[in-house]
mmCIF file of all heavy atoms in Angstrom:
data_model
loop_
_atom_site.group_PDB
_atom_site.id
_atom_site.type_symbol
_atom_site.label_atom_id
_atom_site.label_comp_id
_atom_site.label_asym_id
_atom_site.label_seq_id
_atom_site.Cartn_x
_atom_site.Cartn_y
_atom_site.Cartn_z
ATOM 1 N N GLY A 108 -35.787 18.172 58.281
ATOM 2 C CA GLY A 108 -36.488 16.988 57.816
ATOM 3 C C GLY A 108 -35.571 15.853 57.451
ATOM 4 O O GLY A 108 -34.346 15.989 57.587
ATOM 5 N N PRO A 109 -36.132 14.731 57.066
ATOM 6 C CA PRO A 109 -35.298 13.594 56.727
ATOM 7 C C PRO A 109 -34.484 13.792 55.498
ATOM 8 O O PRO A 109 -34.901 14.441 54.567
ATOM 9 C CB PRO A 109 -36.371 12.467 56.550
ATOM 10 C CG PRO A 109 -37.591 13.200 56.162
ATOM 11 C CD PRO A 109 -37.553 14.487 56.911
ATOM 12 N N ARG A 110 -33.278 13.200 55.520
ATOM 13 C CA ARG A 110 -32.402 13.250 54.343
ATOM 14 C C ARG A 110 -32.514 11.940 53.626
ATOM 15 O O ARG A 110 -31.990 10.915 54.047
ATOM 16 C CB ARG A 110 -30.957 13.540 54.773
ATOM 17 C CG ARG A 110 -30.781 14.848 55.440
ATOM 18 C CD ARG A 110 -29.379 15.020 55.922
ATOM 19 N NE ARG A 110 -29.040 14.091 56.973
ATOM 20 C CZ ARG A 110 -27.882 14.003 57.592
ATOM 21 N NH1 ARG A 110 -26.901 14.830 57.235
ATOM 22 N NH2 ARG A 110 -27.706 13.129 58.550
ATOM 23 N N GLY A 111 -33.229 11.915 52.499
ATOM 24 C CA GLY A 111 -33.402 10.684 51.749
ATOM 25 C C GLY A 111 -34.657 9.959 52.169
ATOM 26 O O GLY A 111 -35.385 10.361 53.069
ATOM 27 N N THR A 112 -34.925 8.852 51.522
ATOM 28 C CA THR A 112 -36.090 8.043 51.820
ATOM 29 C C THR A 112 -35.701 6.723 52.433
ATOM 30 O O THR A 112 -34.601 6.244 52.237
ATOM 31 C CB THR A 112 -36.889 7.754 50.513
ATOM 32 O OG1 THR A 112 -36.025 7.100 49.557
ATOM 33 C CG2 THR A 112 -37.390 9.083 49.897
ATOM 34 N N VAL A 113 -36.586 6.150 53.185
ATOM 35 C CA VAL A 113 -36.323 4.888 53.861
ATOM 36 C C VAL A 113 -36.642 3.766 52.875
ATOM 37 O O VAL A 113 -37.690 3.736 52.256
ATOM 38 C CB VAL A 113 -37.243 4.772 55.092
ATOM 39 C CG1 VAL A 113 -36.966 3.398 55.792
ATOM 40 C CG2 VAL A 113 -36.974 5.905 56.062
ATOM 41 N N ALA A 114 -35.670 2.875 52.708
ATOM 42 C CA ALA A 114 -35.872 1.764 51.782
ATOM 43 C C ALA A 114 -36.922 0.789 52.333
ATOM 44 O O ALA A 114 -36.901 0.484 53.527
ATOM 45 C CB ALA A 114 -34.541 1.034 51.568
ATOM 46 N N PRO A 115 -37.818 0.343 51.486
ATOM 47 C CA PRO A 115 -38.840 -0.586 51.986
ATOM 48 C C PRO A 115 -38.230 -1.968 52.319
ATOM 49 O O PRO A 115 -37.163 -2.330 51.803
ATOM 50 C CB PRO A 115 -39.793 -0.720 50.799
ATOM 51 C CG PRO A 115 -38.971 -0.390 49.612
ATOM 52 C CD PRO A 115 -37.968 0.626 50.037
ATOM 53 N N ARG A 116 -38.904 -2.635 53.204
ATOM 54 C CA ARG A 116 -38.394 -3.990 53.602
ATOM 55 C C ARG A 116 -38.613 -4.953 52.480
ATOM 56 O O ARG A 116 -39.671 -4.995 51.817
ATOM 57 C CB ARG A 116 -39.165 -4.463 54.844
ATOM 58 C CG ARG A 116 -38.935 -3.602 56.071
ATOM 59 C CD ARG A 116 -39.579 -4.199 57.292
ATOM 60 N NE ARG A 116 -39.023 -5.550 57.595
ATOM 61 C CZ ARG A 116 -39.413 -6.267 58.606
ATOM 62 N NH1 ARG A 116 -40.400 -5.834 59.403
ATOM 63 N NH2 ARG A 116 -38.888 -7.444 58.819
ATOM 64 N N ARG A 117 -37.594 -5.806 52.215
ATOM 65 C CA ARG A 117 -37.648 -6.736 51.128
ATOM 66 C C ARG A 117 -38.324 -8.035 51.592
ATOM 67 O O ARG A 117 -38.171 -8.454 52.757
ATOM 68 C CB ARG A 117 -36.245 -7.069 50.616
ATOM 69 C CG ARG A 117 -35.522 -5.886 50.044
ATOM 70 C CD ARG A 117 -34.177 -6.304 49.485
ATOM 71 N NE ARG A 117 -34.300 -7.340 48.468
ATOM 72 C CZ ARG A 117 -33.259 -7.921 47.902
ATOM 73 N NH1 ARG A 117 -32.026 -7.660 48.287
ATOM 74 N NH2 ARG A 117 -33.471 -8.831 46.986
ATOM 75 N N ASP A 118 -39.086 -8.609 50.705
ATOM 76 C CA ASP A 118 -39.731 -9.879 50.957
ATOM 77 C C ASP A 118 -38.671 -10.979 50.971
ATOM 78 O O ASP A 118 -37.862 -11.075 50.045
ATOM 79 C CB ASP A 118 -40.783 -10.156 49.928
ATOM 80 C CG ASP A 118 -41.570 -11.405 50.260
ATOM 81 O OD1 ASP A 118 -41.493 -11.878 51.410
ATOM 82 O OD2 ASP A 118 -42.270 -11.945 49.365
ATOM 83 N N ARG A 119 -38.649 -11.756 52.045
ATOM 84 C CA ARG A 119 -37.628 -12.809 52.144
ATOM 85 C C ARG A 119 -37.752 -13.844 51.062
ATOM 86 O O ARG A 119 -36.784 -14.321 50.502
ATOM 87 C CB ARG A 119 -37.704 -13.492 53.537
ATOM 88 C CG ARG A 119 -37.317 -12.581 54.669
ATOM 89 C CD ARG A 119 -37.279 -13.346 55.982
ATOM 90 N NE ARG A 119 -36.829 -12.474 57.100
ATOM 91 C CZ ARG A 119 -36.691 -12.890 58.360
ATOM 92 N NH1 ARG A 119 -36.993 -14.172 58.635
ATOM 93 N NH2 ARG A 119 -36.275 -12.061 59.262
#
Side-chain angles (χ1 to χ4, degrees):
R110 295 176 295 180
T112 58
V113 180
R116 297 186 62 180
R117 298 183 59 186
D118 186 15
R119 291 186 177 180

